[in-house]
Amino acid sequence: MKRFILRVIMLLVFLFTASCGPASSEGTPSVSPAAYIENKGSDTMVNLALGWAERYQSEQPEVRISVTGGGSGTGIASLINGTVDIANASRKIKEEEIDEAKSNGIEPVEHIVARDAIAVIVNPANPVSELTLKQLSDIYSGKYSNWTEVGGDDRPIVRLSRETNSGTHVYFLETVLRLGNSDDKTLFSMDTLLLPSSEGIIAELRQNPNAIGYDGLGYVPKDLKVIAIAKDADGSYVLPSIATVNDKSYPIARDLYMYTDGEPTGIIKEYLDWILSPEAQEIVAELGFVPVGDQ
């Protein structure tokens, strides 16, 4: 009987403590976060966005930031539908997306928050080390299907790409396959393997010496081989880096964006202002991207 009474007393104490919530050092109940930011979009940017969110929350504990990926298209669609505060995108928003947003009463405003180089990657066993943009276009469009056509071994070329919802996919299509020509309608070869993530491309490249892929420079591990790229056959072959993005010698580089509904105010403005600060841009460089302050 005494044991039963003791258990009842302990249960009552627990329920009372739980209902009061944890107390601060001054003896007052803890306070819930005063601000919440929903941030969604580009998988290329997700690690960067998480790095920013973690640092900012450690300095501003009253703010909570939710970061999820899904692709640039997903982030922009969420902005259009009014379900996110900030949409991340590794490509510019399209005119038709702007029109759709405006029809929903949303005014997309663009913020360039970092820069990125898209690295072309192969298995270390592949002897090819240099390619021109035209050769890359011919590989991914299916004109070239054997590595001997670009100076490699007699092996079939296995093409790897991100899925169509990815901003990286769209950028690579427009800049590499179509060589920046807006009138060009070249498409990826039908046998291109569309993978949902950077991790999927990396895993396939590690096990397949015939494969070629592309990814944001910040996601490329040291055990894979990065191809030097030339704008044309007479140009210099250049590897991607912060320096070659800034001096514009590496030809497959882009801006990374955050989009808001109208000019940001309040906590959203404070967060975006911080993202452009030297402290936040240091995180950009640490993760293999290019700070926007570097010209």
Side-chain angles (χ1 to χ4, degrees):
M1 183 68 178
K2 288 182 180 179
R3 184 175 296 175
F4 173 77
I5 293 173
L6 180 59
R7 286 179 176 174
V8 171
I9 292 172
M10 291 175 66
L11 177 61
L12 290 172
V13 169
F14 172 78
L15 291 173
F16 176 77
T17 303
S19 66
C20 291
S24 67
S25 58
E26 291 76 24
T28 57
S30 63
V31 179
S32 297
Y36 179 78
I37 299 173
E38 182 77 20
N39 182 206
K40 180 184 289 188
S42 167
D43 288 321
T44 295
M45 294 176 64
V46 72
N47 285 352
L48 180 56
L50 283 168
W52 281 332
E54 289 169 4
R55 177 74 64 83
Y56 193 77
Q57 288 174 135
S58 71
E59 298 176 2
Q60 305 290 339
E62 76 282 3
V63 179
R64 288 292 176 267
I65 304 169
S66 170
V67 176
T68 52
S72 298
T74 297
I76 291 173
S78 298
L79 181 73
I80 291 170
N81 295 331
T83 58
V84 293
D85 301 298
I86 300 173
N88 298 336
S90 58
R91 62 165 174 85
K92 289 182 74 69
I93 190 170
K94 301 174 183 177
E95 286 299 324
E96 55 266 33
E97 291 169 331
I98 294 174
D99 292 340
E100 186 179 355
K102 289 182 176 179
S103 70
N104 286 348
I106 303 292
E107 289 286 341
V109 172
E110 181 179 288
H111 311 271
I112 297 174
V113 293
R115 295 189 179 93
D116 184 29
I118 295 180
V120 177
I121 328 159
V122 295
N123 187 283
N126 192 324
V128 174
S129 298
E130 300 175 341
L131 291 169
T132 66
L133 284 178
K134 183 64 167 63
Q135 286 175 318
L136 266 180
S137 176
D138 289 341
I139 286 172
Y140 269 95
S141 65
K143 183 176 180 180
Y144 292 159
S145 293
N146 192 290
W147 281 107
T148 56
E149 296 173 277
V150 290
D153 295 335
D154 185 10
R155 293 173 175 269
I157 296 174
V158 177
R159 307 167 186 85
L160 308 178
S161 171
R162 289 293 310 280
E163 290 182 322
T164 57
N165 194 49
S166 161
T168 305
H169 173 103
V170 174
Y171 179 83
F172 198 84
L173 172 65
E174 295 173 348
T175 304
V176 176
L177 271 80
R178 297 175 178 173
L179 300 173
N181 181 358
S182 59
D183 295 325
D184 193 322
K185 302 303 179 185
T186 301
L187 296 173
F188 282 88
S189 173
M190 292 294 291
D191 61 359
T192 302
L193 299 179
L194 301 180
L195 299 172
S197 67
S198 298
E199 292 77 11
I201 287 177
I202 297 305
E204 183 65 23
L205 283 166
R206 280 181 171 141
Q207 66 185 11
N208 192 338
N210 301 333
I212 183 171
Y214 60 89
D215 211 343
L217 182 59
Y219 289 86
V220 180
K222 296 185 183 299
D223 61 326
L224 291 180
K225 181 176 179 179
V226 179
I227 299 292
I229 304 298
K231 294 178 182 177
D232 53 56
D234 297 325
S236 300
Y237 290 88
V238 181
L239 287 168
S241 69
I242 290 178
T244 58
V245 170
N246 284 331
D247 67 15
K248 296 181 170 43
S249 59
Y250 186 71
I252 319 176
R254 58 183 173 171
D255 293 330
L256 300 177
Y257 308 94
M258 284 181 161
Y259 288 95
T260 57
D261 175 15
E263 290 294 340
T265 60
I267 188 63
I268 307 297
K269 183 180 188 306
E270 291 174 15
Y271 184 48
L272 285 170
D273 286 346
W274 177 83
I275 282 173
L276 296 174
S277 72
E279 177 188 0
Q281 290 295 307
E282 284 181 6
I283 298 172
V284 175
E286 288 168 6
L287 293 179
F289 297 94
V290 179
V292 290
D294 292 343
Q295 301 294 335

